[in-house]
Amino acid sequence: MIKGTITSINISKEKGVIKTPVDSAVCKCDHGIVGDAHAGNWHRQISLLAQESIDIMTEMGIDDLTPGQFAENLTTEGICLYELPVGTRLQIGETIQEVTQIGKECHKGCAIQQKVGKCIMPTQGIFTKVIKEGTLHVGDPITVLE
């Protein structure tokens, strides 16, 4: 069974900006993370990016990368997220989430790309929708269900 961990939970009031780490977050069905700009009744409710992907950027010489700088809601460790097929269900803390998209097109003027020079979200970030609501905490386990 594939397992990982939430290493950071990140939210913002606006889209396209660096997110701020928080200790916990409430997830609602048909919405996503309460208080986050990306929340809503659509397929990209929550974004995830692995610390291992962020480490690749650090190895390329980009210093001071911290969780949330790629506008990801959940920074994870221990799971190669972008290899999970669309439709995969994940138990994340109290929630169950379904992978709905792998990668995304960055919009023009993306604050993340301007700050770090390159964005890995288009190839290594994933998006989920909330199937079972609950609260997430830093350190919660992530388990691939199917």
Side-chain angles (χ1 to χ4, degrees):
M1 185 170 290
I2 301 171
K3 290 192 174 231
T5 306
I6 297 174
T7 59
S8 186
I9 300 168
N10 315 293
I11 64 170
S12 66
K13 300 288 184 205
E14 297 176 47
K15 291 183 179 183
V17 299
I18 293 169
K19 295 185 181 287
T20 303
V22 295
D23 293 329
S24 63
V26 175
C27 296
K28 297 283 185 191
C29 290
D30 299 325
H31 184 75
I33 294 177
V34 175
D36 185 67
H38 288 96
N41 192 6
W42 70 318
H43 73 288
R44 290 184 1 197
Q45 295 171 2
I46 300 176
S47 58
L48 294 82
L49 184 65
Q51 181 62 49
E52 292 87 347
S53 295
I54 296 169
D55 291 345
I56 290 169
M57 298 297 296
T58 301
E59 289 170 12
M60 293 173 66
I62 300 172
D63 295 328
D64 301 323
L65 291 177
T66 57
Q69 285 193 331
F70 290 95
E72 79 278 8
N73 292 118
L74 303 179
T75 311
T76 69
E77 198 168 61
I79 295 178
C80 187
L81 298 171
Y82 61 89
E83 290 183 350
L84 298 172
V86 169
T88 300
R89 292 208 173 183
L90 305 169
Q91 173 89 45
I92 305 177
E94 296 177 352
T95 72
I96 295 179
Q97 299 178 32
E98 183 177 307
V99 177
T100 56
Q101 184 174 325
I102 310 296
K104 74 172 189 85
E105 187 85 23
C106 273
H107 57 82
K108 285 193 179 261
C110 170
I112 294 85
Q113 191 167 20
Q114 288 176 6
K115 179 166 175 71
V116 300
K118 180 180 179 181
C119 186
I120 53 176
M121 279 300 287
T123 57
Q124 298 193 19
I126 71 166
F127 296 88
T128 63
K129 66 179 179 180
V130 178
I131 304 298
K132 177 182 175 255
E133 34 189 68
T135 302
L136 302 176
H137 302 276
V138 173
D140 277 351
I142 303 168
T143 305
V144 176
L145 299 176
E146 50 181 87

